[in-house]
Amino acid sequence: MPRLAIATALSLALTAPALNGPAQAQHAHHPAPAAAQEPASSRAFREAAERMHREMAIAYTGDADRDFAAGMIPHHQGAIEMAQIQLRHGRDPAMRRLAEEIIQAQEAEIARLRAFLARTAPR
């Protein structure tokens, strides 16, 4: 009987972190912020990154040129969104200028990528 008790206790000890979820596995000094406590800029950055990664999950065709263009468009759009978030929430003048430059550059690159896709037929 003692072996069964030890085995049960060991089993519970090993599975308890998984049952309690990822928040319990977090370091006590750095718990994940609750959504209501998350700063607006952090929430906006996280949402933009999640959206960018979802949209970058394209169906690859084997045509490296078209796949590159199709994947880079949402990547660049994500950079634009992050720069817009910086402009809404950031205060540093140099970072604000950089965000404005990024928006301008990424918009131009998206236009080039879309033009390439429009003028080339899928293989």
Side-chain angles (χ1 to χ4, degrees), residues 82-90 96-97 99-100 103:
M82 290 192 308
Q84 290 168 335
I85 295 164
Q86 197 290 327
L87 291 173
R88 279 195 305 275
H89 299 279
R96 293 180 62 77
R97 278 191 303 277
E100 290 168 348
I103 291 168

Side-chain angles (χ1 to χ4, degrees), residues 65-81:
D65 297 324
R66 291 186 61 80
D67 290 347
F68 173 74
M72 288 304 290
I73 291 170
H75 183 268
H76 285 0
Q77 186 60 46
I80 291 169
E81 289 179 25

Side-chain angles (χ1 to χ4, degrees), residues 21-120:
Q24 294 290 39
Q26 295 258 343
H27 215 242
H29 299 328
H30 303 291
Q37 295 174 334
E38 184 177 39
S41 62
S42 297
R43 184 175 52 256
F45 280 129
R46 182 179 42 74
E47 290 170 355
E50 289 170 357
R51 185 171 34 262
M52 177 187 69
H53 285 111
R54 266 193 321 273
E55 292 175 7
M56 286 176 57
I58 63 170
Y60 292 103
T61 66
D63 181 334
D65 297 324
R66 291 186 61 80
D67 290 347
F68 173 74
M72 288 304 290
I73 291 170
H75 183 268
H76 285 0
Q77 186 60 46
I80 291 169
E81 289 179 25
M82 290 192 308
Q84 290 168 335
I85 295 164
Q86 197 290 327
L87 291 173
R88 279 195 305 275
H89 299 279
R91 294 183 305 263
D92 184 83
M95 288 294 98
R96 293 180 62 77
R97 278 191 303 277
L98 180 59
E100 290 168 348
E101 292 169 13
I102 286 170
I103 291 168
Q104 184 178 18
Q106 299 298 297
E107 285 176 343
E109 289 183 14
I110 288 172
R112 289 175 60 193
L113 293 162
R114 286 186 175 145
F116 170 80
L117 290 173
R119 74 173 180 269
T120 60

Side-chain angles (χ1 to χ4, degrees), residues 4-20:
L4 179 59
I6 292 171
T8 302
L10 184 57
S11 176
L12 288 172
L14 292 174
T15 58
L19 295 174
N20 289 329

